Amino acid sequence: MNNIVLLPVLIPFIMGVILILFRNSPSIQRFISAVTAFAMLAVSIYLTYIIYQNGITTVELGNWPAPFGIVLVGDLFAGLMLILASIVGVACLFFAFQTIHSEREKFYFYPFYFFLMTGVNGAFLTGDLFNLFVFFEVMLIASYVLIVIGGTKYQLRESFKYVVINIFASMFFIIGIAYLYSVTGTLNLAQLGERVGELEQTGVLNVVAILFLIVFGMKGALFPLYFWLPKSYYGPPAAIAALFGGLLTKVGIYAIIRSFTLIFTHNPDFTHNIILALAGFTMFFGVLGAVSQFDFKRILSYHIISQVGYMVMGLGLYTPLAIAGAIYYIAHHIIVKAALFLFAGATQKITGTTDLKKMSGLLKTHPALAWLFFIAAISLAGIPPLSGFFSKFALILSGIQEERYFIVFVSLLVGLLTLFSMMKIFVYVFWGKPSLSEEEVKKTKLAPLLWPVAPLVALSIIMGLAAEPIFSFSMEVAEQLLDPSIYINSVLKE
Amino acid sequence: MEILMIITVGVLVSVATYMILTKSLLRVVLGIMLLSHGAHLLLLTLSGLGEGAPPLLGEQAEAYSDPLPQALILTAIVISFGVTAFLLVLAYRTYKEHKTDDLDELRGSADE
């Protein structure tokens, strides 16, 4: 029992409610939200430290014992995700201060920003399938508002589809919960993990597992279900797109990894092989989409899809090394992807467009932006000293050990195509003759745009250089995930 | 009773699917509403339509019905109510901005 586990959910929720009161004074809103974001970062780091020291930490709400009441469970995986979420939260918030339109700011941008964080953090911490659904909905409702805030024609059109698709998936979530409850008679994740192992009805459980894979796969943009992502993420301003690109799909991936290491471990030959096949398709078609596009934000959106594939590939291989690689990859991707989206926002602020063909030559006028972008881009593509390399290396190594050569081939090919499309951005945006006149260059100040992004790029470099301690941490997370009895015992206290 | 409920759920889900596949914005919203009703009824039915006494009222009854699914459905209904309200407003604004409620005309094109 440790009540600190509650704080990552409570802080953004309470501060979000308070922020509603200050609708008409942006400076107070900015101050409160900056303080809140840093407080969340501090709390999540401290919480992870406690989890690392004392093992899995749980809170039983209202002192109802575990299988009957609601529990919040902080294990290492959840702690890591909390830290990553709050890092991205801080960076995007400070970028939003620079770029967000003042009308958008007035229409409750900051409150919904923190409600989104409430949902995300809650989804990471919850130990109960139905509360996972509730926190998903909290997150999604906030994301509906954030994606449509501003109300341009394009945003309205695409967010209607985004909302309908997500509600559709949520209804399937309820149907999945209904099936699982009728089979096992519980919704507590730990008890589910225990009972699924004892049950003999693997046929029904396979159906339920695939149903949940569809639900989470729709939120996490897996192969047949990713079609909504590029268009929806194109609409909102860069700070919001970065938050979505960094965090939202990863919540779906978190749910997949959590449920397929804890609950549906009854028949890995069936379920995890399907996941592996989906991973291959997701990677390949995502990167094909990225290669075909000529728009900064759209390329990045398609890259989200292809890289989700790598994370799920780690789960599909289902060995400690592969899961550790997937976790490392999630950490790397959340940071680098948010940074890249913020770069897209910065170039959009400078040139006024995201179309690659309409801009060129920023290397001469904005060298700092260009080189920071270059680092982030090659990190995404997986060039050695940076964080992208080590995470992919672990995945590929484990794929070779497991003799799944085809998926290894696909992932190497996708890495090459990723490099190609990132270089396409670099060539179009930064090389060539400068397209801006001197006055236009001086009009936008670069430094305030770069400050929120630079720490993310630095983190990517640090994660590459300090690969060994971070990798051993990922190994510990993976071992904890692959031994569900630790989780089950610490929640049910047997 | 269970058979009847399951058939009702099936009818609701199939009608909802039909509505979601139509072109009009409003019909899609109605379809989503029906689908959520179907999902809620399914949750209630699958967790067993018990014939026991209400829980927590006395300890003499032969059997108690399970309160959990009802609590779950209550939460789910509130959520789907809120989301539907949001979706209706969104559909209305989309209609006002684009002057059409035909989803075919709301399709995206690559060069925007």
Side-chain angles (χ1 to χ4, degrees), chain A residues 227-277:
Chain A
F227 50 86
W228 54 271
L229 190 142
K231 282 188 173 172
S232 330
Y233 284 16
Y234 179 75
I240 298 172
L243 188 71
F244 281 23
L247 273 187
L248 277 197
T249 45
K250 256 54 85 198
V251 183
I253 300 304
Y254 171 87
I256 290 178
I257 293 183
R258 175 68 80 209
S259 52
F260 281 87
T261 53
L262 182 62
I263 307 173
F264 303 116
T265 52
H266 56 283
N267 193 356
D269 278 346
F270 176 68
T271 50
H272 289 68
N273 275 337
I274 287 184
I275 291 176
L276 198 62

Side-chain angles (χ1 to χ4, degrees), chain A residues 153 156-157 161 167 181-182, chain B residues 46 66 83 98 106 108 112:
Chain A
K153 266 189 164 184
L156 281 168
R157 196 181 72 198
K161 296 164 196 168
I167 298 176
Y181 188 72
S182 76
Chain B
L46 279 187
D66 187 355
V83 170
H98 289 271
L106 290 172
E112 282 190 88

Side-chain angles (χ1 to χ4, degrees), chain A residues 51-255:
Chain A
I51 296 168
Y52 192 70
Q53 293 285 318
N54 305 341
I56 295 175
T57 318
T58 61
V59 175
E60 291 160 349
L61 299 183
N63 275 341
W64 285 82
F68 307 110
I70 295 168
V71 278
L72 290 186
V73 186
D75 66 345
L76 279 178
F77 189 32
L80 178 71
M81 296 301 281
L82 284 177
I83 294 180
L84 293 167
S86 28
I87 289 174
V88 172
V90 171
C92 292
L93 189 70
F94 276 81
F95 195 80
F97 290 164
Q98 308 298 332
T99 55
I100 202 87
H101 200 269
S102 66
E103 283 298 311
R104 287 191 168 119
E105 209 170 10
K106 268 190 189 164
F107 275 94
Y108 307 107
F109 170 71
Y110 298 116
F112 280 106
Y113 192 90
F114 286 108
F115 291 149
L116 183 85
M117 297 303 279
T118 312
V120 170
N121 287 354
F124 291 152
L125 283 175
T126 182
D128 185 303
L129 203 57
F130 195 77
N131 281 296
L132 185 65
F133 167 72
V134 173
F135 280 119
F136 257 96
E137 287 302 308
V138 171
M139 175 186 93
L140 286 171
I141 291 170
S143 81
Y144 302 155
V145 178
L146 284 179
I147 213 165
V148 81
I149 202 168
T152 62
K153 266 189 164 184
Y154 182 88
Q155 273 180 310
L156 281 168
R157 196 181 72 198
E158 293 307 327
S159 52
F160 182 78
K161 296 164 196 168
Y162 173 79
V163 174
V164 167
I165 288 162
N166 274 301
I167 298 176
F168 191 73
S170 299
M171 290 310 130
F172 272 94
F173 200 163
I174 294 187
I175 292 172
I177 286 174
Y179 281 132
L180 202 56
Y181 188 72
S182 76
V183 178
T184 61
T186 180
L187 287 176
N188 185 289
L189 287 179
Q191 208 178 12
L192 277 174
E194 202 177 49
R195 290 209 178 154
V196 164
E198 294 162 0
L199 281 174
E200 310 261 308
Q201 305 160 311
T202 46
V204 180
L205 286 172
N206 281 345
V207 173
V208 179
I210 297 304
L211 194 58
F212 275 100
L213 186 64
I214 292 172
V215 171
F216 297 140
M218 199 161 321
K219 318 228 170 196
L222 282 187
F223 158 58
L225 309 166
Y226 63 72
F227 50 86
W228 54 271
L229 190 142
K231 282 188 173 172
S232 330
Y233 284 16
Y234 179 75
I240 298 172
L243 188 71
F244 281 23
L247 273 187
L248 277 197
T249 45
K250 256 54 85 198
V251 183
I253 300 304
Y254 171 87

